Amino acid sequence: MRIVFTITLLFVISGVATGQSPKPEPPSGANHDGASPAPADHTQPSSPAKRSVADILAEAHQKLEHGEAQEAITMLEQLTATNGEPAKGVQHELGIAYYRTGKLLSAERAFARAIEEDPNDMESVQMRGLSLYRLGRPAEAIPFLERVRQWTPNANADANYVLGLCYLNSQRLDDARQAFANQFAVPPTSGSAYLLLSKMLMQANLPEAAADASKKALDLTPKLPLAHFMLGEVYLFKSDPERALKEFEQEREINPANFAVYDRLGDVYTRSGQYQQAQEALTKAISLDTSSTGPFIQMGKVLLRRNDPQTSLLYLQHAEKMDPGNYITHTLLGQAYRNLGREEEAKKEIDAASEIHAASQLKLQPEQ
């Protein structure tokens, strides 16, 4: 906390402005009239009451609630430095403030002290688990997040989600399925629970395990929507378009109004060189959802392959308006303009694609 000392100096010099000599000071012990002063009252004025720890803690909490985390940290750190053993709750508030400002190591230590002070401080237990997970220590986070689930099984979806991710990292897939089922409020042994697990496994780049979970989901619920879609995604990820095509076609039979199925079918047909089928599938995807750029971009690519750059341009220009920051769109636009002989516009799009792609690569670098 920055402390500002204000010093006021009063100089009383009589007669300087008019050139007169200064008036002599009266003798010690006399007032300016020459008379002896009344006896001095040596009673000191009473100092304001010292602020209590509870008051400071309450003010710091208010600062946290209003987004002033760094100011709260300053107050709380000073409180711990000047009061030895701080009052109960200070470490809890410090942990929250550290966490919100990204100081995860400090947050984890503060939450550990808060739990020592009060083992039933549920929020500190949960936040210590979340801090450990974000520090890349998921195995250490599990016991704390499990305690939260034991206390309040359905109270916090974030804790269940992170607990599920920790289980995935530890290859405890059954426990992960239980955690995700709790998060989404579905029976843990249902086909839906296995489908959720499959989705999370794909996001964790574990396609083989994701395929097994999707198959289990279909065993339990043969007509479960999105289960075949998920299997198709797995096979597409593994560059197996033939098996992916079979799964997407089965998904279409179960879920014919899902635009994403036709988008994926368009992708599979394009990879297989079946451009007419790809165009038909993408037309259906766009008919069902005009708000997604994917089918428009894919359609532009298909039309370029079919030597129709003029029509391709219409779809790609629409996609560019929806998402100007997609470098693939600009790359395809450059190809379309070049095929139409519009070299200046083609160069502009290719340059834009290079700049966007380079910027996105830089964002992926770890923070220093």
Side-chain angles (χ1 to χ4, degrees):
M1 180 180 294
R2 187 171 57 187
I3 302 175
V4 181
F5 295 94
T6 304
I7 303 175
T8 305
L9 302 179
L10 300 177
F11 294 92
V12 181
I13 303 175
S14 303
V16 173
T18 58
Q20 296 176 354
S21 298
K23 188 176 182 179
E25 292 292 329
S28 177
N31 59 25
H32 287 280
D33 296 325
S36 297
D41 183 3
H42 295 287
T43 303
Q44 296 295 325
S46 59
S47 59
K50 184 178 180 181
R51 295 180 66 200
S52 69
V53 172
D55 289 340
I56 298 174
L57 187 58
E59 183 179 346
H61 180 79
Q62 286 300 312
K63 289 188 177 296
L64 273 176
E65 292 298 305
H66 290 86
E68 302 174 20
Q70 190 55 55
E71 289 83 351
I73 288 173
T74 302
M75 295 177 65
L76 294 166
E77 285 181 338
Q78 186 179 39
L79 190 60
T80 59
T82 57
N83 286 272
E85 287 295 324
K88 182 178 177 180
V90 173
Q91 291 298 330
H92 175 107
E93 295 293 324
L94 256 179
I96 298 294
Y98 285 139
Y99 189 88
R100 292 184 184 177
T101 53
K103 300 176 181 178
L104 298 178
L105 281 171
S106 297
E108 193 273 326
R109 296 190 192 106
F111 289 129
R113 297 188 192 104
I115 295 168
E116 289 177 3
E117 294 174 356
D118 180 6
N120 294 317
D121 181 353
M122 184 176 64
E123 186 177 19
S124 288
V125 172
Q126 174 180 298
M127 294 304 298
R128 189 179 183 190
L130 294 176
S131 299
L132 287 166
Y133 171 75
R134 289 185 60 191
L135 285 167
R137 295 151 62 183
E140 295 177 55
I142 288 175
F144 298 101
L145 298 174
E146 284 180 333
R147 285 174 63 186
V148 175
R149 187 175 67 180
Q150 290 167 1
W151 282 332
T152 52
N154 302 308
N156 192 289
D158 288 343
N160 275 310
Y161 173 66
V162 175
L163 180 57
L165 295 179
C166 292
Y167 285 139
L168 285 186
N169 185 272
S170 304
Q171 296 296 307
R172 295 168 58 177
L173 300 189
D174 287 338
D175 290 327
R177 172 171 45 82
Q178 174 80 47
F180 295 133
N182 288 343
Q183 180 188 359
F184 289 92
V186 299
T189 58
S190 66
S192 298
Y194 280 94
L195 181 58
L196 285 168
L197 176 62
S198 177
K199 178 69 173 178
M200 299 303 179
L201 286 165
M202 272 298 289
Q203 291 181 352
N205 200 25
L206 296 169
E208 297 294 342
D212 291 340
S214 288
K215 291 174 183 176
K216 180 65 175 178
L218 285 168
D219 288 342
L220 293 168
T221 313
K223 296 294 185 180
L224 181 65
L226 296 179
H228 284 290
F229 182 86
M230 183 56 61
L231 266 177
E233 293 271 70
V234 171
Y235 292 134
L236 207 55
F237 179 83
K238 296 170 67 175
S239 299
D240 189 346
E242 185 175 345
R243 295 177 75 180
L245 180 60
K246 292 179 181 178
E247 296 298 334
F248 290 136
E249 286 177 339
Q250 290 184 73
E251 183 65 37
R252 178 176 55 186
E253 293 177 6
I254 297 170
N255 198 2
N258 183 2
F259 91 95
V261 175
Y262 300 101
D263 182 39
R264 294 299 188 274
L265 281 169
D267 188 8
V268 173
Y269 285 133
T270 302
R271 296 188 190 203
S272 304
Q274 302 177 64
Y275 301 127
Q276 178 62 38
Q277 293 92 325
Q279 187 172 345
E280 291 173 1
L282 291 168
T283 298
K284 293 172 184 174
I286 292 171
S287 299
L288 289 168
D289 184 358
T290 59
S291 65
S292 298
T293 58
F296 287 94
I297 296 171
Q298 189 71 15
M299 182 71 89
K301 182 190 296 185
V302 168
L303 290 167
L304 279 174
R305 301 279 177 86
R306 302 194 73 186
N307 297 315
D308 187 357
Q310 188 63 57
T311 308
S312 170
L313 198 60
L314 298 176
Y315 286 94
L316 293 171
Q317 287 174 334
H318 183 77
E320 192 273 336
K321 289 178 181 177
M322 295 170 68
D323 181 12
N326 190 313
Y327 80 92
I328 296 175
T329 304
H330 289 283
T331 300
L332 294 172
L333 276 169
Q335 295 174 16
Y337 282 128
R338 184 162 292 159
N339 290 350
L340 292 168
R342 297 160 64 173
E343 291 297 331
E344 185 176 344
E345 290 165 292
K347 183 179 184 305
K348 179 181 177 182
E349 294 297 336
I350 295 299
D351 289 345
S354 298
E355 291 176 6
I356 294 169
H357 185 60
S360 66
Q361 294 296 105
L362 289 174
K363 289 178 182 177
L364 296 176
Q365 299 299 318
E367 294 184 2
Q368 300 297 321

